[in-house]
Amino acid sequence: MEFKKEFNSKKEYFEKELKNYIPKIEGYQKVLFESMKYSLDAGGKRLRPILLMESTSLVGGDVEECIPFACAIEMIHTYSLIHDDLPAMDDDDLRRGKPTNHKVFGEGIAVLAGDGLLNYAFEIMINHSLKYEKESYKYLKAMNEIAKAAGVYGMIAGQVVDLESENKKIDKDTLDFIHMNKTSAMIIGALRAGAIIGGADEEQLENITAYAKNIGLGFQIVDDILDIIGDESKLGKNVGSDLENNKSTYPSLFGIEESKKIAKNLITEAKYYISNFGNKGDFLKCLADYIVDRDY
Amino acid sequence: MEFKKEFNSKKEYFEKELKNYIPKIEGYQKVLFESMKYSLDAGGKRLRPILLMESTSLVGGDVEECIPFACAIEMIHTYSLIHDDLPAMDDDDLRRGKPTNHKVFGEGIAVLAGDGLLNYAFEIMINHSLKYEKESYKYLKAMNEIAKAAGVYGMIAGQVVDLESENKKIDKDTLDFIHMNKTSAMIIGALRAGAIIGGADEEQLENITAYAKNIGLGFQIVDDILDIIGDESKLGKNVGSDLENNKSTYPSLFGIEESKKIAKNLITEAKYYISNFGNKGDFLKCLADYIVDRDY
């Protein structure tokens, strides 16, 4: 399978759909919509929506049904980046090769654009659920997965502990808590929401969740490795910021080579869980490999 | 009717219920929960949840059914205050007589506590909706009202235009847009969501919406008047900040006396719409009067 080609075609498909869900740039609050669109358009891998869509089709569902949820999870991911880049948090000037949101629109609008994207994500999911009364309970369950993943026992918890851990030595348990919540939670949420929309049974959902946990942690470890040895121009962001901020990471705790090994093992395990789906799981298997093989 | 006594008893009832919905202060992200609780506990009038509960019972619904939604709307209101007080926005040090959230917890945690409250509000509403499968579509409709009210075509739009209008002369249309979205939208959302949960029919919903629009604008005009002539110790916040920030308000456009008159007319109109409910509407009528008669 030409994985990269397939990945890009899914990405293009998603980005075309996403356009329909971005508010029109008009009205008194025009600058808000410009700011939201600026960060949504900034690209990125679109990993979470692609996982969500793939999970729906993996269990035999119709991808069209899950599009609003895929857009919603990308909006939530995007809002978290906007707020994460703020001076009061990571204080980053560059994201995906472009100036960060607050550098362009100012801090006040950046805060509100983040708030707007989070709220709008729910609006989109709710609207879609209202359209199909008979399916609405299923959509509500999918929405629940995304809300939990993004929330105070998920992504936000990870961000808080990450922020509190700057310039501190932290142990592996704390680091795992950060990774589990800051990164894995939304990957798990994406895959579980997609599977629920596709009509997964309990066993399928368990396998998908196990796959998600493993690629989630693997993804974060590789991100931390790339922050040390990655190529700034390929990554589109400053490297070395973890070191600068004295952040504890897998590479700083275990060294780069050992961290690479841990990531590879996680990916092997992830692929095991997806093997239950036969050929249909090929894309997700390749995606797992891609996560550790990105640019190093 | 002893309105103040009744209002306070509803407020106490709500605050007791709210306690059950605040996350336990534990776990690695403890400080997040402390920060969320700090602002939720800071008091305030609890106007939006009381309106929501009252609207449910006005149309004959069971108040217990709407409690999670009442808590959710208070959490959304509270998050908006936390973000609004940030240095990048209104830069306020004092809120309800206490230091603002970022003054106590720092800006980073304040941003995340706001994000957390918004997301948690949806988690609470979704959880409640999932518990009652047969009623879930109705709850979804109520959730939609709150999401719309809080979002980029509601409260957040109002905040954006408010922020953009600082140190600028704005016309009445822009000012009305700000008021309609920044304040009225959530009051309309509260009353409509409550009515939907209570099982309102179309006509009831229309009357409640008209009431909401009128008290919403009335409330904001009185707030602006109090910012000029109010008593800091009673209000628990700094007065004069609108003048300091050169904000256009009803009093600055029309003068204090004329603004008082406009507010009174809005309240009269609000009460007219509620008169269709007979005695059952007494509390909401008194509430409308209370809005213009607060402390001046």
Side-chain angles (χ1 to χ4, degrees):
Chain A
M1 192 206 306
E2 281 195 72
F3 171 73
K4 276 228 161 161
K5 212 174 134 190
E6 198 162 330
F7 187 91
N8 283 331
S9 106
K10 285 179 200 293
K11 193 178 143 178
E12 268 168 42
Y13 171 73
F14 168 72
E15 287 180 340
K16 221 177 114 194
E17 294 290 335
L18 179 63
K19 279 196 206 315
N20 303 322
Y21 287 90
I22 298 178
K24 257 197 175 167
I25 311 291
E26 62 183 16
Y28 285 101
Q29 73 274 51
K30 209 174 141 183
V31 65
L32 172 70
F33 298 144
E34 277 166 357
S35 170
M36 289 163 65
K37 187 175 184 306
Y38 175 80
S39 290
L40 281 173
D41 278 352
K45 293 173 289 294
R46 313 296 191 187
L47 182 62
R48 291 150 195 81
I50 289 174
L51 287 171
L52 193 150
M53 295 187 304
E54 193 59 21
S55 189
T56 295
S57 57
L58 181 70
V59 298
D62 177 357
V63 173
E64 267 179 48
E65 260 197 66
C66 76
I67 296 299
F69 285 73
C71 294
I73 207 158
E74 185 68 2
M75 287 184 183
I76 293 175
H77 175 58
T78 304
Y79 113 76
S80 78
L81 300 180
I82 297 174
H83 282 186
D84 214 32
D85 288 336
L86 286 169
M89 313 264 272
D90 277 0
D91 195 13
D92 274 317
D93 296 347
L94 205 59
R95 161 80 63 188
R96 295 168 180 166
K98 292 168 71 179
T100 45
N101 196 293
H102 65 273
K103 283 277 151 192
V104 179
F105 295 93
E107 276 184 60
I109 294 295
V111 170
L112 290 167
D115 296 346
L117 283 167
L118 173 57
N119 197 92
Y120 201 57
F122 282 105
E123 287 182 71
I124 289 173
M125 292 188 284
I126 292 167
N127 271 331
H128 186 68
S129 311
L130 280 173
K131 254 191 228 159
Y132 303 96
E133 183 162 357
K134 276 189 190 156
E135 304 268 36
S136 66
Y137 195 71
K138 182 183 82 177
Y139 288 128
L140 207 47
K141 282 200 266 185
M143 212 189 298
N144 187 40
E145 295 293 335
I146 292 174
K148 271 195 308 184
V152 297
Y153 296 100
M155 185 181 70
I156 295 171
Q159 283 173 306
V160 166
V161 182
D162 193 28
L163 184 66
E164 294 284 294
S165 303
E166 261 175 35
N167 299 311
K168 259 189 217 165
K169 267 234 168 308
I170 56 169
D171 59 19
K172 184 171 172 295
D173 284 353
T174 311
L175 184 61
D176 282 341
F177 180 90
I178 294 171
H179 287 349
M180 175 62 205
N181 288 285
K182 189 167 175 175
T183 311
S184 300
M186 285 281 281
I187 287 174
I188 297 168
L191 282 156
R192 285 181 61 93
I196 288 168
I197 294 170
D201 62 31
E202 255 329 298
E203 201 193 327
Q204 289 176 316
L205 209 50
E206 271 172 33
N207 281 317
I208 288 169
T209 308
Y211 167 84
K213 281 183 186 165
N214 283 291
I215 64 160
L217 182 54
F219 182 78
Q220 185 57 54
I221 293 173
V222 172
D223 242 25
D224 291 345
I225 295 172
L226 290 175
D227 191 74
I228 298 174
I229 62 165
D231 179 336
E232 215 159 282
S233 68
K234 278 187 192 163
L235 292 169
K237 61 179 175 185
N238 301 331
V239 303
S241 67
D242 290 347
L243 275 174
E244 232 172 75
N245 296 331
N246 277 315
K247 273 200 181 171
S248 298
T249 62
Y250 265 72
S252 80
L253 286 181
F254 304 107
I256 288 176
E257 286 315 309
E258 181 63 21
S259 299
K260 280 189 189 175
K261 241 184 250 168
I262 296 171
K264 275 220 187 304
N265 286 339
L266 288 165
I267 295 312
T268 307
E269 202 167 330
K271 289 195 289 186
Y272 162 78
Y273 287 109
I274 225 67
S275 62
N276 294 306
F277 293 93
N279 288 348
K280 278 194 159 184
D282 284 353
F283 179 81
L284 287 177
K285 277 188 195 172
C286 291
L287 184 69
D289 281 328
Y290 161 72
I291 281 173
V292 284
D293 290 332
R294 291 180 282 163
D295 287 319
Y296 74 74
Chain B
M1 194 204 308
E2 281 194 72
F3 171 73
K4 276 229 161 162
K5 212 174 136 190
E6 198 162 333
F7 187 91
N8 283 331
S9 104
K10 285 177 199 294
K11 193 178 143 179
E12 268 168 43
Y13 171 74
F14 168 72
E15 287 181 338
K16 222 177 115 194
E17 293 290 334
L18 179 64
K19 279 197 205 317
N20 304 322
Y21 287 89
I22 298 178
K24 257 197 176 166
I25 311 292
E26 61 183 18
Y28 285 101
Q29 73 274 50
K30 211 175 138 181
V31 65
L32 172 70
F33 299 144
E34 275 165 359
S35 169
M36 289 162 67
K37 187 177 184 308
Y38 176 81
S39 290
L40 281 174
D41 279 352
K45 292 174 288 296
R46 313 297 191 188
L47 182 63
R48 290 151 195 82
I50 288 173
L51 286 171
L52 193 150
M53 296 187 303
E54 193 59 23
S55 190
T56 296
S57 58
L58 180 71
V59 298
D62 178 356
V63 172
E64 268 180 46
E65 262 197 64
C66 76
I67 296 299
F69 286 72
C71 294
I73 206 157
E74 185 68 3
M75 287 184 184
I76 294 175
H77 174 59
T78 303
Y79 113 76
S80 78
L81 299 181
I82 296 175
H83 283 185
D84 214 32
D85 287 336
L86 287 168
M89 311 265 273
D90 277 359
D91 195 12
D92 274 317
D93 296 346
L94 205 59
R95 162 79 64 187
R96 293 168 181 165
K98 292 168 71 179
T100 46
N101 196 294
H102 66 272
K103 282 277 151 193
V104 179
F105 295 93
E107 274 183 62
I109 294 294
V111 170
L112 291 167
D115 296 347
L117 283 168
L118 173 56
N119 198 92
Y120 202 59
F122 282 105
E123 288 183 70
I124 289 173
M125 291 188 284
I126 292 168
N127 272 330
H128 186 69
S129 310
L130 281 173
K131 254 190 231 160
Y132 303 95
E133 184 162 357
K134 278 191 190 155
E135 304 268 37
S136 66
Y137 195 72
K138 181 183 81 178
Y139 287 128
L140 207 47
K141 282 199 266 184
M143 213 188 299
N144 186 41
E145 294 295 335
I146 291 174
K148 271 194 308 182
V152 297
Y153 297 100
M155 184 181 70
I156 295 172
Q159 282 174 307
V160 166
V161 182
D162 192 29
L163 184 67
E164 295 284 294
S165 303
E166 261 175 35
N167 299 311
K168 257 189 219 166
K169 268 236 166 308
I170 56 170
D171 59 19
K172 184 172 173 293
D173 284 352
T174 311
L175 184 62
D176 282 341
F177 180 89
I178 295 172
H179 287 348
M180 176 60 204
N181 287 285
K182 191 169 174 174
T183 311
S184 300
M186 286 282 280
I187 286 173
I188 296 168
L191 282 156
R192 285 182 61 93
I196 288 168
I197 294 170
D201 62 31
E202 255 328 298
E203 201 195 327
Q204 288 176 317
L205 210 50
E206 271 172 35
N207 281 317
I208 288 170
T209 307
Y211 167 82
K213 280 184 185 164
N214 283 290
I215 64 162
L217 183 53
F219 182 77
Q220 185 58 53
I221 294 173
V222 172
D223 243 24
D224 291 345
I225 296 172
L226 289 175
D227 191 73
I228 299 174
I229 61 163
D231 179 337
E232 216 158 281
S233 67
K234 277 188 193 163
L235 291 169
K237 61 179 176 184
N238 301 332
V239 302
S241 67
D242 290 348
L243 275 174
E244 233 170 74
N245 295 331
N246 276 315
K247 275 199 180 172
S248 296
T249 61
Y250 265 72
S252 81
L253 286 181
F254 304 107
I256 288 176
E257 286 316 307
E258 181 62 20
S259 299
K260 280 188 189 177
K261 241 185 247 167
I262 296 172
K264 276 220 187 301
N265 286 340
L266 288 164
I267 295 312
T268 306
E269 202 168 329
K271 290 194 287 186
Y272 162 78
Y273 287 109
I274 226 64
S275 61
N276 294 305
F277 294 93
N279 288 348
K280 277 194 158 187
D282 284 352
F283 179 81
L284 286 177
K285 278 190 196 170
C286 291
L287 184 69
D289 283 328
Y290 161 72
I291 282 173
V292 283
D293 288 332
R294 294 180 279 162
D295 289 319
Y296 73 75

